[in-house]
Amino acid sequence: MNDWVDAEQHAERARAFFQSGQWDHALTELQRALALNPQQFEWHYGMGLTLDALKRYDEALASYELVLKLRGSDPEVLAHIGDDLIRLGRYEAAIESLERASTLDPDYEPGYCSRIIAYTKLGDHEQAEAMFYLARQTKDTCPRCFEHLGHSLLARGQVDRAIWCWQQTLKHSPDHATARALLAQAHYSRGQVERANLYFEQQIAHDPQDVPSRVGLAKLQIELDRPEDAVRSLRRIMEIDPTHAEAHYLMGDLSIQCGHVEEAEAELGMAARLDPQLHGVHLGLAQLRGIQGRYAEARDLLLIELDKPDHSPREAIALSRTLMDLHIFDEAIALLGRLIEETQPATPADRTLVATMLQHRGYALLVSGRRERGIVDCRRSLRYEPQHGATLHNLALAYLEAGDLLRATIFHKRALAVPPEDRQVRQVGHRIRRAKLAAWFQKCVDRVLRR
């Protein structure tokens, strides 16, 4: 009898700790309660919820499985199992568990809702959308359903529809944990930096400890040329998490741009120690070595950066620039080539990235003596950005060196029309005029010789 009473008291204390967010204490009390009475399936269920809160999903699964053994099949427990399997990346097993939940209770909406994200992770977007509409038949509005469908739409490049879904998530759940951050990222991908900035600020106001959103905001502030704001954002991140490698890297990169070499050395070195595989950190160190005139070290650091997998287009552009500065053209061409083929120019921001990558690869090809391929890339770049001054200048110069003065003149005039005026463009104009004069003089000489 005493054991039974003690077990109940431990369970009551666990419930109080759980409700106040003290997960570790709740877990300890539940363990004590179950040690005295291991047949109480409600306590195993509470154990599963507590372990979920602690992000110990493997252990939570074991607790939910014990609930099924003690109580029998239950759609709510099966849905929790499905959610944990999704968190562990076991999407097919998750779908199986969620299907069992829907079979037991066809009106149980979470059985469909969680399958949206499971199918999205498997790349089966048709089934993900089907689950969304099945869920709507059981419940008119569900913030999670809209959130999950937004991820599916974004994976298909349908950014506008994804934004609408996350706006619905926020409409139906104003306190949603991540909707504002998702909207910020989506607007950023479309090049709408002011809107992205607004949503990041709203997300941080809603959750001051949201480090990923603070990182996103800092990147935007750097892009908007607001270095003082970016420094404040990065320092706040490092106050929350002193071991945040990306914050140290961004601070180091910003220090290079501001000419603070010693601070850049310290921050980039810290980032490299915290996360040697972080994209950009060895590029930053290479740029620093280039400033210091230590070119052999810079080259070695660039090759380390180049070996890292899955560069984003923006990272590839920054890396290719530094590679070309050190005359490492073949590696820059190969890197950009992979990204150009993989990037779908579905949004204005994507088109700008593709144009810039083509312009960089075109320049690398021209400088390394592969003129015809370089011209093709530069002309492809102009399809996305017809007024890109650097590309027009490169084409004018390439055609001049190829002896095609007509095309050189055309592209030079187009380059002159792009503000601001550039001294190098004017110099190309002088060279074209001299070439035309030389060609005219040669024609005169030829005519005299023929006579």
Side-chain angles (χ1 to χ4, degrees):
M1 186 65 177
N2 288 337
D3 285 350
W4 183 84
V5 171
D6 288 346
E8 288 286 348
Q9 288 176 345
H10 286 304
E12 281 299 320
R13 282 197 288 270
R15 190 175 298 110
F17 281 131
F18 185 88
Q19 289 172 350
S20 64
Q22 300 180 64
W23 320 120
D24 287 317
H25 293 310
L27 182 63
T28 300
E29 293 297 333
L30 281 169
Q31 288 169 337
R32 289 170 178 168
L34 286 167
L36 296 169
N37 185 359
Q39 300 304 309
Q40 278 283 10
F41 69 84
E42 294 98 335
W43 299 347
H44 286 289
Y45 182 69
M47 179 80 81
L49 294 176
T50 306
L51 289 164
D52 277 341
L54 291 166
K55 300 182 179 180
R56 292 161 61 174
Y57 304 123
D58 276 320
E59 296 171 70
L61 276 175
S63 291
Y64 292 132
E65 292 290 351
L66 279 171
V67 176
L68 294 181
K69 286 181 181 178
L70 292 169
R71 186 187 181 185
S73 293
D74 179 274
E76 188 173 347
V77 177
L78 287 165
H80 279 298
I81 289 172
D83 286 340
D84 281 340
L85 288 167
I86 289 169
R87 291 167 182 139
L88 294 167
R90 296 162 59 185
Y91 305 118
E92 292 175 351
I95 290 168
E96 184 181 341
S97 181
L98 293 163
E99 284 176 345
R100 286 174 61 197
S102 297
T103 301
L104 288 169
D105 184 356
D107 293 329
Y108 185 62
E109 193 264 357
Y112 306 106
C113 175
S114 294
R115 270 187 279 172
I116 300 170
I117 197 66
Y119 279 119
T120 295
K121 294 292 187 180
L122 290 170
D124 191 344
H125 300 293
E126 185 175 335
Q127 280 290 356
E129 198 151 345
M131 290 302 110
F132 175 82
Y133 290 112
L134 285 171
R136 298 287 60 71
Q137 293 177 17
T138 62
K139 185 178 178 182
D140 288 340
T141 58
C142 169
R144 285 183 69 217
C145 284
F146 282 108
E147 178 196 353
H148 295 338
L149 184 60
H151 287 293
S152 173
L153 292 166
L154 188 69
R156 288 177 266 173
Q158 298 180 30
V159 183
D160 289 342
R161 291 182 68 198
I163 287 173
W164 181 84
C165 281
W166 292 326
Q167 286 171 339
Q168 295 303 304
T169 300
L170 207 53
K171 176 183 175 181
H172 299 301
S173 176
D175 292 328
H176 192 275
T178 60
R180 294 172 182 83
L182 291 169
L183 284 164
Q185 294 288 357
H187 283 296
Y188 181 70
S189 74
R190 296 177 66 191
Q192 297 172 329
V193 291
E194 292 295 347
R195 285 191 187 182
N197 186 79
L198 177 64
Y199 277 115
F200 274 133
E201 288 178 343
Q202 289 180 0
Q203 176 67 18
I204 291 164
H206 177 72
D207 180 6
Q209 301 301 309
D210 185 345
V211 170
S213 290
R214 287 187 178 277
V215 172
L217 179 61
K219 289 178 178 178
L220 266 182
Q221 289 165 338
I222 293 169
E223 189 168 324
L224 292 168
D225 196 22
R226 290 159 47 188
E228 293 179 359
D229 291 338
V231 167
R232 280 194 290 272
S233 294
L234 292 169
R235 293 203 186 285
R236 180 65 184 126
I237 293 166
M238 288 186 271
E239 286 173 9
I240 297 170
D241 180 5
T243 63
H244 198 282
E246 190 173 12
H248 286 285
Y249 157 65
L250 290 170
M251 186 71 84
D253 191 51
L254 195 57
S255 298
I256 290 176
Q257 295 175 35
C258 297
H260 303 152
V261 175
E262 290 184 6
E263 185 177 353
E265 182 82 56
E267 295 293 350
L268 291 170
M270 174 65 76
R273 288 191 293 275
L274 289 169
D275 185 359
Q277 295 305 310
L278 178 67
H279 279 211
V281 65
H282 289 95
L283 170 61
L285 287 167
Q287 291 169 338
L288 200 57
R289 297 294 175 264
I291 292 169
Q292 296 166 337
R294 296 154 63 178
Y295 300 113
E297 290 179 48
R299 183 186 181 92
D300 291 341
L301 288 163
L302 279 177
L303 295 178
I304 292 171
E305 186 70 38
L306 196 60
D307 282 340
K308 295 175 185 176
D310 303 324
H311 294 92
S312 72
R314 292 175 189 276
E315 291 165 348
I317 288 166
L319 181 53
S320 68
R321 282 176 182 158
T322 311
L323 286 166
M324 289 187 286
D325 287 343
L326 293 174
H327 300 99
I328 309 175
F329 296 111
D330 288 342
E331 287 84 348
I333 291 165
L335 171 65
L336 291 167
R338 289 193 298 273
L339 270 296
I340 289 167
E341 296 304 319
E342 292 171 5
T343 305
Q344 297 297 322
T347 67
D350 290 337
R351 287 193 286 274
T352 299
L353 284 172
V354 172
T356 305
M357 287 191 289
L358 284 165
Q359 187 263 323
H360 277 65
R361 189 174 71 172
Y363 175 77
L365 289 164
L366 291 172
V367 172
S368 59
R370 288 159 276 192
R371 185 186 299 134
E372 290 184 4
R373 287 178 59 198
I375 288 173
V376 169
D377 269 1
C378 289
R379 298 195 71 149
R380 282 180 64 193
S381 175
L382 291 179
R383 294 176 198 166
Y384 299 106
E385 282 200 352
Q387 300 303 312
H388 196 288
T391 309
L392 293 166
H393 168 260
N394 290 340
L395 280 168
L397 189 58
Y399 280 120
L400 171 62
E401 292 177 351
D404 190 338
L405 298 183
L406 176 60
R407 286 191 173 90
T409 302
I410 291 169
F411 284 107
H412 174 251
K413 286 181 178 179
R414 287 178 61 183
L416 285 173
V418 178
E421 289 190 9
D422 188 284
R423 183 173 61 85
Q424 289 183 326
V425 174
R426 291 197 301 272
Q427 288 176 344
V428 172
H430 297 324
R431 289 180 59 184
I432 291 172
R433 284 191 288 275
R434 287 197 297 271
K436 285 181 175 178
L437 183 61
W440 174 82
F441 182 75
Q442 186 62 49
K443 285 181 181 178
C444 292
V445 170
D446 293 342
R447 192 177 300 119
V448 169
L449 290 175
R450 283 197 301 271
R451 288 175 183 172

